[in-house]
Amino acid sequence: MAENTRVAIVTGGSRGIGRQTALRLAADGYAIVVVYVGKQAEAETVVKEITTAGGRAIAVQADVAEEADVTAVFDAAEASFGGVDVVVNAAGIMVLAPIAEYDLDTLDRVHRVNIRGAFVVSQQAARRVRNGGSIINFSTSVIGLGLPGYAAYVASKGAVEAMTMVIAREMRGRDITVNAVAPGPTATSFFFDGKDQATIDHMAKQPPLERLGTPEDAAEVVAFLAGPGRWINGQVVRANGGIV
């Protein structure tokens, strides 16, 4: 592998926005570490697609909220490819219900993955990303919409946004950018789960562009932040077609 090859870790890389981000960064020449928690076959499919196209990729299983697992991901990236330049925190879960009815064990599970997971991955990234790299978290544009049923999810992503701002400042002197991408409604199984067609159609009409976002839309924003968008730092990019 060429010494100047850049390396990206993508959590939640087996499907949805994470999958498309892994493929997009691979197309830009990155070696990719696809991190998955349970979808091994899907993660291996992403790896195969990258390697068939001439790229380099590996899949690593990890619970993003477990320090030992995440440390092992970074170890694998360094052992396989020589280092880490970009970390994309795309892993997350969403369980919707009105706050009056919300199960608190489910709340703990959502926050464990979305807040603790983002924190643990960012902690390793802050320690180990090479100078000149990028850390890119994922939030949600639902924070600005305030839709009923989303309280637990937006609370977790609000924490990610706040964390992102702090980490950007903590990276002073290392030429490492830290940003968050906040997609609007995006055509993935993550979004479709639990929604009827009328709800999906209504949300698709909300942006002035009158469609749902695609995983490719979000991946393009990540690729820009990881590559040429070096002067964007400590920001939340609301990639939502103009909803808010």
Side-chain angles (χ1 to χ4, degrees), residues 3-239:
E3 290 185 4
N4 62 350
T5 297
R6 286 167 64 80
V7 180
I9 292 172
V10 182
T11 71
S14 63
R15 58 181 181 163
I17 290 174
R19 175 186 182 278
Q20 193 59 44
T21 295
L23 296 174
R24 179 65 179 80
L25 293 178
D28 280 350
Y30 287 81
I32 306 296
V33 179
V34 178
V35 182
Y36 67 95
V37 66
K39 304 288 185 180
Q40 181 176 1
E42 294 181 23
E44 294 291 354
T45 298
V46 178
V47 169
K48 183 176 180 180
E49 189 168 346
I50 291 169
T51 55
T52 299
R56 297 283 301 276
I58 60 172
V60 181
Q61 192 277 337
D63 177 345
V64 292
E66 289 295 332
E67 182 181 15
D69 285 13
V70 175
T71 299
V73 169
F74 280 77
D75 290 345
E78 291 173 355
S80 297
F81 303 127
V84 179
D85 300 285
V86 172
V87 174
V88 182
N89 269 311
I93 62 173
M94 178 173 65
V95 181
L96 305 181
I99 194 167
E101 303 167 11
Y102 210 89
D103 177 74
L104 294 183
D105 288 338
T106 302
L107 175 70
D108 290 343
R109 184 164 61 92
V110 169
H111 286 188
R112 183 179 186 276
V113 175
N114 294 358
I115 300 177
R116 180 184 165 98
F119 192 101
V120 172
V121 173
S122 294
Q123 183 176 66
Q124 286 298 315
R127 293 169 179 171
R128 300 172 73 169
V129 166
R130 293 186 285 209
N131 289 4
S134 298
I135 302 169
I136 302 166
N137 294 318
F138 266 86
S139 181
T140 175
S141 285
V142 180
I143 287 177
L145 296 174
L147 298 177
Y150 282 80
Y153 184 64
V154 299
S156 71
K157 292 303 186 177
V160 170
E161 290 192 9
M163 196 187 313
T164 298
M165 305 304 105
V166 173
I167 299 167
R169 287 151 182 78
E170 292 180 351
M171 294 298 100
R172 177 179 293 274
R174 291 180 54 191
D175 189 28
I176 293 173
T177 62
V178 187
N179 294 289
V181 178
T186 303
T188 65
S189 58
F190 186 81
F191 168 75
F192 291 132
D193 186 37
K195 295 182 177 67
D196 61 29
Q197 191 60 46
T199 299
I200 293 168
D201 292 344
H202 172 73
M203 296 182 78
K205 287 293 185 182
Q206 286 184 304
L209 299 177
E210 294 191 334
R211 66 171 176 85
L212 295 175
T214 67
E216 290 83 357
D217 291 327
E220 287 293 339
V221 178
V222 173
F224 178 72
L225 294 174
R230 298 298 302 171
W231 197 233
I232 300 174
N233 191 26
Q235 304 300 315
V236 178
V237 180
R238 303 208 178 282

